[in-house]
Amino acid sequence: MNFRTITILTGAGISAESGLGTFRDEGGLWSRYSLKEVATPEGFAADPHKVHGFYNARRANAAEALPNAAHHAIARLQEDPRHDTMVITQNVDRLHEAAGSRALHMHGELARALCAVCGHRWDAPAEMAPGDACPACATTATRPDVVWFGEMPYHLPEIDQRLARTDLFVAIGTSGQVHPAAGFVEEAWMHGAHCVEINLEPSEIAGLFHETVNGPASEAVPLWVDRLIG
Ligand code: APR
């Protein structure tokens, strides 16, 4: 099959072999931290110290991580002029960029800070704290530029348009439990895309894909890219 337009959605599983934990696997972040306390606007309002501490630790881990063979294979695909490949990631690390890819960060980025008052964004310092001032408006309502539960993910109009015209949709290393990303496969399928899941094991929504490939991303993704572009 000839897939000119390719859309790849990645989740925490693609960065697992780079040493960054996933959320819902055994021992994952949500078994060690309360999602409500550290990943909701209400949690931040209740205890900003705790929330900043959580993201400061994750920012430190992410800063040390290196892209793995899966990130590199996707970058190779994105460079291939025979295809138009868009990467949408739910991940807040910068491992796609470190491998040379461009990616839409629908859940924001650990490396960026956001002012909740004026909307200004800037490179986050290694450690953020309550009381940090916004460099643009000087108020102290600064926060990590990550999308919390109950907030609207970024880039949705662009993603919707893309899913309506993609020939191939590939979800890599995501459990398919968080919307709207979990619904992208149905959107792409409805518009005629061939849909592939690449995951360590079949996700709970594996049945929504035409094809599933199971295995660690660092092995399965390079093999899949080789099959596609040689
Ligand atoms: N290779 C491929 N897949 C893997 C690997 C690996 N080495 N290791 C784990 N996986 C798979 C797991 O089987 C699981 O299906 O990656 C998936 C990770 O799922 P989650 O932990 O739920 O992560 P994700 O789908 O990215 O979460 C979505 O939830 O908490 C929010 O905002 C957060 O962006 C995140 C969103």
Side-chain angles (χ1 to χ4, degrees), residues 28-69:
L29 279 173
W30 297 151
S31 68
R32 292 181 283 128
Y33 295 89
S34 154
L35 179 161
K36 280 196 181 137
E37 287 176 11
V38 300
T40 62
E42 296 76 19
F44 186 57
D47 192 343
H49 281 281
K50 177 185 273 182
V51 176
H52 274 305
F54 174 73
Y55 289 99
N56 288 341
R58 294 190 60 207
R59 191 177 298 112
N61 288 346
E64 283 174 6
L66 294 173
N68 65 53

Side-chain angles (χ1 to χ4, degrees), residues 10-14 16-17 22-25 30 35 90-92 107 147 149 172-178 198-203 215-218:
T10 63
I14 196 168
E17 291 161 87
T22 62
F23 296 96
R24 295 173 185 79
D25 293 308
W30 297 151
L35 179 161
Q90 298 168 89
N91 297 343
V92 290
H107 291 171
V147 176
F149 286 91
I172 302 174
T174 176
S175 60
Q177 291 191 44
V178 176
I198 304 179
N199 209 59
L200 193 57
E201 53 198 29
S203 75
S218 68

Side-chain angles (χ1 to χ4, degrees), residues 31 60 74 92 106 122 128 142 190-191 197 201 209 228:
S31 68
I74 289 174
V92 290
M106 64 179 291
W122 66 101
M128 292 186 73
T142 60
M190 204 175 66
H191 286 101
E197 176 179 89
E201 53 198 29
F209 293 80
L228 208 61

